[in-house]
Amino acid sequence: QVQLVESGGGLVQPGGSLRLSCTASRSLFSIYGMDWYRQAPGKERELVAAITVRSSTNYADSVKGRFTISRDNAKNTVYLNMNSLKPDDTAVYYCSARLVPSSPKPEYWGQGTQVTVSS
């Protein structure tokens, strides 16, 4: 079992920045991959960024160069730094965990945190 708790969402103006945090209930070394997904109203949930236990990263094309995923193993926490935010980034952002490399999709999810980009 893994509990994931997200924080850091909120309202920000276009061009602004936010940092999301996701704290896991167990060591990140016991989890193969940690991901950030987002879901906007009326749209499917999409992968935004991913980081593996070896710190390999992957990003959606729409956020490359603007978002950065990182991890602090001592705090069991994964971060998503979001810069140059656009209204299209408005969504509920979810943290998730994949326990093994062969997992086709995450086994555990956080509760989600709302990010709203608006002037």
Side-chain angles (χ1 to χ4, degrees):
Q1 280 276 13
V2 182
Q3 282 78 47
L4 302 171
V5 179
E6 301 117 329
S7 62
L11 173 64
V12 63
Q13 291 187 344
S17 299
L18 278 177
R19 187 177 80 162
L20 305 183
S21 300
C22 172
T23 300
S25 60
R26 66 192 228 191
S27 171
L28 294 184
F29 291 116
S30 69
I31 302 170
Y32 173 74
M34 296 286 292
D35 309 324
W36 284 99
Y37 283 76
R38 67 185 180 187
Q39 187 166 20
K43 295 187 177 181
E44 293 188 356
R45 192 172 296 190
E46 63 173 351
L47 178 65
V48 176
I51 188 166
T52 71
V53 67
R54 297 179 182 85
S55 294
S56 295
T57 58
N58 186 40
Y59 297 93
D61 288 342
S62 59
V63 306
K64 282 181 181 176
R66 300 188 298 122
F67 290 12
T68 303
I69 189 170
S70 62
R71 54 194 287 153
D72 185 336
N73 295 322
K75 296 182 179 180
N76 293 345
T77 299
V78 174
Y79 302 99
L80 184 67
N81 284 285
M82 305 185 292
N83 298 318
S84 302
L85 283 162
K86 307 173 182 179
D88 284 350
D89 295 318
T90 296
V92 177
Y93 283 70
Y94 297 91
C95 175
S96 63
R98 289 174 288 129
L99 297 186
V100 295
S102 58
S103 299
K105 56 184 178 180
E107 291 96 340
Y108 299 98
W109 295 86
Q111 80 284 359
T113 185
Q114 177 71 47
V115 171
T116 302
V117 184
S118 174
S119 55

